[in-house]
Amino acid sequence: MGMEAVVEGLWALAEEAELRRDYGGAVKCLEAVLQCGASLLPLVEIRTRLRLASLLLSRSHNLNHAKSHLERALLLLGPAPPSALPLKFRAHSLLAHCYHLVGAIPPQKHVLLRALQLLHQSSLPSGAVSLLWSCNFHSQLASALAIEGDYPGALAALDSGLAAASELRRPELQMFFAASALHVHLLHWDDSSSVDAAVRRCSELWDSIPIDQRRHCLGLFFYNELLQTFFLLRICDYKSASQHVENLDAAMKDNVQKVHVVKGLVGELDAVNRGLSQSNFQRRERLLLCEKQSQLQEQLKALTGLDLDHLNSWEFEDKLLLAPPPLDGEWLPRSAVFALVDLMVVMVGRPKGVFKECGRRIQSGLQLIHEELVKLGINHGVREVDLQHSSIWMAGLYLMLLMQLLENKVAVELTRSEFVEAQEALVQMRNWFVRFPTILQGCESVIEMLRGQYAHSVGCFHEAAFHFIEASKLTESKSMQSMCQVYAAVSYICIGDAESSSQALDLVGPVFRIMDSFVGVREKTCIVFVYGLLLMRQHNPQEARIRLASGLKIAHQQLGNIQLVSQYLTILGTLALQLHDTGQAREILKSSLTLAKTLYDIPTQIWVLSVLTALYREVGERGNEMENSEYERRKEDDLQKRLSEAHSCIHHLDLIEKARIKVQPLHELAIKRAIAGPSAKADLDIPESIGLPTPPPAALSSRLRDIDSVKRGKKKI
């Protein structure tokens, strides 16, 4: 009895320490239990080791110790009696998670398959407990298979999990597996009808969850809404995507407020509990405290949907769970989800020119990410080889989000002709890549493309073409390759000589032939835009007009990208003037100028103004010609000042240099396996839209502007 009391006391102390986030203290309490030696009952030792391993896996870098505790627990369990089978399943699940954290996928799969076989052969009745463990193991197995690129195997595992969830009659658990399957389909988009079916199934299952239950499935809500947003961005349905982003943003703000309220209530409840533990209160005061305690508990249950016994305020603050225990139901940490919501707000706002809000959300996301990187020990001077093995996956997650936010910042600043600001963001991207070259290896092509964007913006067209071509070589994405070739073609057109025009045609021809093979219309609108420019150079204005008009219709109706629309209008206005349709030219160009002003897009404004000046000259409107010409001159002076500042900055020559970024070779090759594939639930294909900024105007052929909405290849988040 004495030993039992000691064990119970140490377990209770460990729980209290964990609630205080004193994880080191909790580990010491549990280790003290194990030091009791031979007098310890086997089941007590097993439970302690499992609890200790779980704590080490979630709150430390001590993966080897966690693995040792799990292997010892499994050895003690041996041929477990039916009553101990849940402990054996728990040990298998934790051991598989341990292998996942170090990127050891084959042993992870082996443990999970062994666990499923054990579950199948066990004497457990086919009730809720058995079905929940089946859900858990199939979820983990699907993640491991997706990492290896076995997408059919991952989908089959998720179907098995969905069948178990259906047998349990748990719609929220069914939704978890359906959303996970949609995620796999988005990663491996080989059949549009299958992706559409997965989207519909998620919508139907979400609608089947009772409304009062949905508000307690916040993690599932964010997961589903983000996946639906990725899908809609991929097919270029920006209008519907914006609606989902509004839902996400509202839910995020509501959750921030709710967490604040919950923390306050938990603090009040702790104070009441401390008061009740004292013996110096009168009966009336004690009754009032008991009544207050009951009220606080009811408020917390109503807010969180959790009983007090299951409410850990720190866990509620940190996690957005997708599924109940024993499933490890977290997709991404709360901070990562919220940074991703900020990114989505930027991505649907940027094409509309909502730059002020975009800037605010970029800063919000960057702040969230920097705070999490500091928690992981990533501060100034820390490099890839300095990372703890167990923190590589989480570091990669936040670093990829960081790079995407910076990428959008570069694009926004280039559009606004804030070249120095764009330089600074691009230099940050380069520096992060140099420090973490393996984790961020997928970003090198994006950085090269952005170097091309910057070089093109400041009039360095030869250098721009070089970086676009290099970017196309560094990616396996057909879409990214095609768009970089189109970008390079624009830079060659801007150079303006016969040889460069021929090189531009050589680049555009092949992608023009395959432009209808891409999902969505993002690539097609950009390719048609450049093809129209080439037709103009070949003195074929009628054909160019027809092609560009069809591209404008798609850009306006489906992309909603006002920058691209503005540029289409400017080209069409120029063509109308060449064909002496001055009435239509005037109308088109004024619309284009209005859009360019909305975007603070100085180069496009200058381009439009120069064409308008030519129009006024042709129709003999001398007053308008003079006024317009003066306005154009002021804009030219403003642009030249910005360009001079950019050219005089210390980073300018480094960014445009015709050379790829140099990185030091790694000394720890094992890091490659660890970051090669995080969980499928953390690997997102986020389509992006990036602009090709206008060069300083010299001749009409060089006044080209942003071919926007380029789709990124798969990005690991």
Side-chain angles (χ1 to χ4, degrees), residues 322-392:
L322 302 180
L327 278 75
D328 180 19
E330 186 184 35
W331 170 42
L332 298 177
R334 182 172 175 268
S335 294
V337 171
F338 287 0
L340 195 49
V341 172
D342 280 331
L343 177 62
M344 293 298 101
V345 172
V346 173
M347 287 179 61
V348 299
R350 235 189 68 214
K352 302 173 187 175
V354 191
F355 292 151
K356 187 174 182 180
E357 176 66 6
C358 286
R360 192 176 72 81
R361 300 310 282 266
I362 288 171
Q363 289 308 311
S364 169
L366 290 175
Q367 183 178 349
L368 275 173
I369 291 167
H370 281 301
E371 288 172 359
E372 295 302 319
L373 289 176
V374 169
K375 291 177 187 176
L376 291 168
I378 299 176
N379 45 37
H380 183 69
V382 172
R383 302 175 73 87
E384 197 168 74
V385 293
D386 304 320
L387 291 178
Q388 293 278 355
H389 206 65
S390 59
S391 66
I392 290 172

Side-chain angles (χ1 to χ4, degrees), residues 254-394:
D254 180 67
N255 181 252
V256 169
Q257 178 64 26
K258 183 183 285 188
V259 167
H260 179 73
V261 173
V262 167
K263 288 172 71 175
L265 290 174
V266 169
E268 287 186 56
L269 184 59
D270 287 343
V272 169
N273 289 338
R274 285 195 298 271
L276 287 171
S277 67
Q278 298 173 13
S279 57
N280 58 344
F281 283 104
Q282 298 294 325
R283 184 170 183 275
R284 176 177 168 75
E285 292 172 325
R286 185 168 291 278
L287 284 173
L288 288 172
L289 282 175
C290 287
E291 186 179 341
K292 180 69 172 175
Q293 181 190 52
S294 178
Q295 290 174 352
L296 289 168
Q297 289 172 345
E298 286 300 318
Q299 285 178 274
L300 283 167
K301 185 175 181 180
L303 271 173
T304 65
L306 299 172
D307 292 323
L308 192 66
D309 293 339
H310 299 104
L311 176 64
N312 179 335
S313 65
W314 298 113
E315 291 292 313
F316 179 77
E317 178 187 350
D318 284 347
K319 294 194 174 185
L320 294 168
L321 297 179
L322 302 180
L327 278 75
D328 180 19
E330 186 184 35
W331 170 42
L332 298 177
R334 182 172 175 268
S335 294
V337 171
F338 287 0
L340 195 49
V341 172
D342 280 331
L343 177 62
M344 293 298 101
V345 172
V346 173
M347 287 179 61
V348 299
R350 235 189 68 214
K352 302 173 187 175
V354 191
F355 292 151
K356 187 174 182 180
E357 176 66 6
C358 286
R360 192 176 72 81
R361 300 310 282 266
I362 288 171
Q363 289 308 311
S364 169
L366 290 175
Q367 183 178 349
L368 275 173
I369 291 167
H370 281 301
E371 288 172 359
E372 295 302 319
L373 289 176
V374 169
K375 291 177 187 176
L376 291 168
I378 299 176
N379 45 37
H380 183 69
V382 172
R383 302 175 73 87
E384 197 168 74
V385 293
D386 304 320
L387 291 178
Q388 293 278 355
H389 206 65
S390 59
S391 66
I392 290 172
W393 182 85
M394 194 60 71

Side-chain angles (χ1 to χ4, degrees), residues 285-542:
E285 292 172 325
R286 185 168 291 278
L287 284 173
L288 288 172
L289 282 175
C290 287
E291 186 179 341
K292 180 69 172 175
Q293 181 190 52
S294 178
Q295 290 174 352
L296 289 168
Q297 289 172 345
E298 286 300 318
Q299 285 178 274
L300 283 167
K301 185 175 181 180
L303 271 173
T304 65
L306 299 172
D307 292 323
L308 192 66
D309 293 339
H310 299 104
L311 176 64
N312 179 335
S313 65
W314 298 113
E315 291 292 313
F316 179 77
E317 178 187 350
D318 284 347
K319 294 194 174 185
L320 294 168
L321 297 179
L322 302 180
L327 278 75
D328 180 19
E330 186 184 35
W331 170 42
L332 298 177
R334 182 172 175 268
S335 294
V337 171
F338 287 0
L340 195 49
V341 172
D342 280 331
L343 177 62
M344 293 298 101
V345 172
V346 173
M347 287 179 61
V348 299
R350 235 189 68 214
K352 302 173 187 175
V354 191
F355 292 151
K356 187 174 182 180
E357 176 66 6
C358 286
R360 192 176 72 81
R361 300 310 282 266
I362 288 171
Q363 289 308 311
S364 169
L366 290 175
Q367 183 178 349
L368 275 173
I369 291 167
H370 281 301
E371 288 172 359
E372 295 302 319
L373 289 176
V374 169
K375 291 177 187 176
L376 291 168
I378 299 176
N379 45 37
H380 183 69
V382 172
R383 302 175 73 87
E384 197 168 74
V385 293
D386 304 320
L387 291 178
Q388 293 278 355
H389 206 65
S390 59
S391 66
I392 290 172
W393 182 85
M394 194 60 71
L397 164 67
Y398 285 112
L399 287 169
M400 285 301 301
L401 280 170
L402 174 75
M403 295 294 270
Q404 293 203 36
L405 286 164
L406 288 172
E407 176 184 351
N408 275 272
K409 181 170 176 58
V410 172
V412 167
E413 302 302 351
L414 288 179
T415 302
R416 298 169 60 235
S417 303
E418 297 290 350
F419 305 124
V420 175
E421 295 287 332
Q423 269 188 15
E424 292 174 0
L426 188 47
V427 167
Q428 286 185 54
M429 291 183 74
R430 182 192 64 187
N431 292 345
W432 281 109
F433 174 70
V434 168
R435 287 169 60 189
F436 300 91
T438 312
I439 290 175
L440 297 176
Q441 58 189 331
C443 294
E444 187 176 6
S445 63
V446 176
I447 294 172
E448 282 300 309
M449 184 201 68
L450 290 173
R451 291 177 73 187
Q453 299 277 5
Y454 170 77
H456 190 104
S457 298
V458 296
C460 303
F461 304 127
H462 290 92
E463 291 85 351
F466 170 84
H467 289 296
F468 289 136
I469 297 298
E470 286 300 303
S472 71
K473 296 175 185 176
L474 289 168
T475 179
E476 296 178 1
S477 164
K478 294 296 182 185
S479 172
M480 180 72 164
Q481 289 171 358
S482 297
M483 293 313 306
C484 287
Q485 289 169 341
V486 168
Y487 287 162
V490 175
S491 294
Y492 282 129
I493 291 171
C494 291
I495 292 170
D497 57 40
E499 182 183 354
S500 298
S501 296
S502 176
Q503 288 175 300
L505 187 59
D506 290 342
L507 287 169
V508 172
V511 296
F512 181 79
R513 288 191 288 272
I514 63 169
M515 66 181 178
D516 290 317
S517 66
F518 297 106
V519 176
V521 295
R522 186 178 298 106
E523 294 82 6
K524 183 174 182 176
T525 52
C526 301
I527 293 166
V528 168
F529 181 79
V530 179
Y531 190 68
L533 293 178
L534 284 171
L535 287 171
M536 286 180 66
R537 290 299 301 261
Q538 294 171 344
H539 307 291
N540 192 348
Q542 291 288 4

